[in-house]
Amino acid sequence: MRTQQSGRVKDHALSLVFAAAFILTLIGQSIAGLFDHNEDQLTHGGPVSSWWEFVTSSEFVVDVAENWQSEYLQFFLFILATVWLVQRGSPESKKTGDEGVGSDEDQLIGEHARDDSPAWAKVRGFRLWLFSNSLLIMMGTIFVLSWFVQGLAGTTVTNSENALHGEPPISFGEYLLSADFWNRTLQNWQSELLAVGSMVAYSIFLRQRGSAESKPVGVPHRLSAIESD
């Protein structure tokens, strides 16, 4: 039994490690953010907040949501772009000539499906279309929802600040057109796009032995990991 449990943990180690790291950093952000918030409140003679009050506040939610939406936008764009675009020599790309959605035979769908293929890969119609695009749909949905939450929370934060300065509140639509919203949004988008672009380009010429995100060390720069098989 212990061996089986150890095997299951090993099989899912990558997901488990990143899930744990995510939770730890989110907790760390909430604690650091609470201290920063309360320090600012004391400076201005305002009341301090408990940890729970802070993590359920719009101030914390807007910071979390703006990071999530940029991350999922990154994945959404990269998944979509790699269907049609290639980068010669990058393990993050298909090889030149393989642009597009691929044939049914290549994708193992319909009559070309294997016995152990997912059930919706063996059918036709809407279910096959939905399953064939499910990863892009999921990433896009999370992006839109987190962007929407960022807008709502940002509106609340802005109106709280306006009230302190005797200014009138603004609507959700007005906040979406504001400089604050787009400053928060674009500074995250550019960093994510830089990271993805750098990964694609650096992986052509640089290696990390043993990583699934790298070509084997001895593979020529001009070849992708797929071409080297």
Side-chain angles (χ1 to χ4, degrees):
M1 178 66 71
R2 183 174 299 177
T3 302
Q4 289 179 337
Q5 291 177 341
S6 176
R8 281 195 286 268
V9 170
K10 184 177 180 181
D11 287 344
H12 303 288
L14 191 59
S15 297
L16 292 172
V17 166
F18 273 91
F22 163 73
I23 293 171
L24 289 174
T25 53
L26 186 62
I27 293 173
Q29 178 190 349
S30 70
I31 295 172
L34 174 63
F35 278 103
D36 182 61
H37 169 78
N38 284 341
E39 184 178 300
D40 184 66
Q41 289 293 96
L42 290 172
T43 300
H44 294 88
V48 298
S49 301
S50 67
W51 179 82
W52 181 250
E53 288 172 333
F54 177 70
V55 297
T56 56
S57 69
S58 294
E59 182 179 344
F60 179 73
V61 171
V62 71
D63 288 338
V64 172
E66 73 179 57
N67 284 300
W68 287 17
Q69 60 89 3
S70 63
E71 295 291 345
Y72 281 98
L73 175 66
Q74 169 195 161
F75 291 127
F76 176 85
L77 292 177
F78 191 60
I79 293 167
L80 181 61
T82 53
V83 175
W84 303 103
L85 304 177
V86 297
Q87 174 56 59
R88 185 181 180 91
S90 176
E92 303 297 320
S93 166
K94 297 184 290 187
K95 64 181 181 180
T96 303
D98 283 352
E99 299 90 339
V101 297
S103 66
D104 289 358
E105 184 177 2
D106 292 335
Q107 294 293 314
L108 301 177
I109 59 178
E111 63 273 18
H112 302 288
R114 300 175 9 162
D115 290 339
D116 57 351
S117 293
W120 281 25
K122 301 176 182 179
V123 298
R124 293 289 181 179
F126 177 73
R127 285 184 296 169
L128 177 60
W129 176 88
L130 182 62
F131 185 60
S132 298
N133 297 282
S134 55
L135 183 59
L136 188 67
I137 292 170
M138 176 59 72
M139 296 298 179
T141 300
I142 297 175
F143 161 66
V144 171
L145 290 176
S146 56
W147 202 24
F148 179 72
V149 170
Q150 177 194 340
L152 287 178
T155 303
T156 302
V157 171
T158 298
N159 283 336
S160 296
E161 293 175 352
N162 286 351
L164 291 175
H165 296 89
E167 299 177 1
I170 62 173
S171 67
F172 174 67
E174 288 173 325
Y175 179 70
L176 293 185
L177 298 175
S178 70
D180 179 71
F181 177 76
W182 284 104
N183 178 52
R184 286 176 172 272
T185 295
L186 292 174
Q187 67 177 304
N188 282 281
W189 286 7
Q190 56 86 13
S191 64
E192 302 302 335
L193 294 174
L194 174 64
V196 171
S198 298
M199 183 67 175
V200 170
Y202 291 158
S203 60
I204 298 173
F205 304 104
L206 306 178
R207 309 286 190 273
Q208 177 53 58
R209 183 170 180 166
S211 174
E213 297 302 308
S214 169
K215 295 182 289 189
V217 177
V219 170
H221 295 322
R222 70 180 187 278
L223 300 180
S224 71
I226 297 174
E227 293 173 300
S228 65
D229 292 339

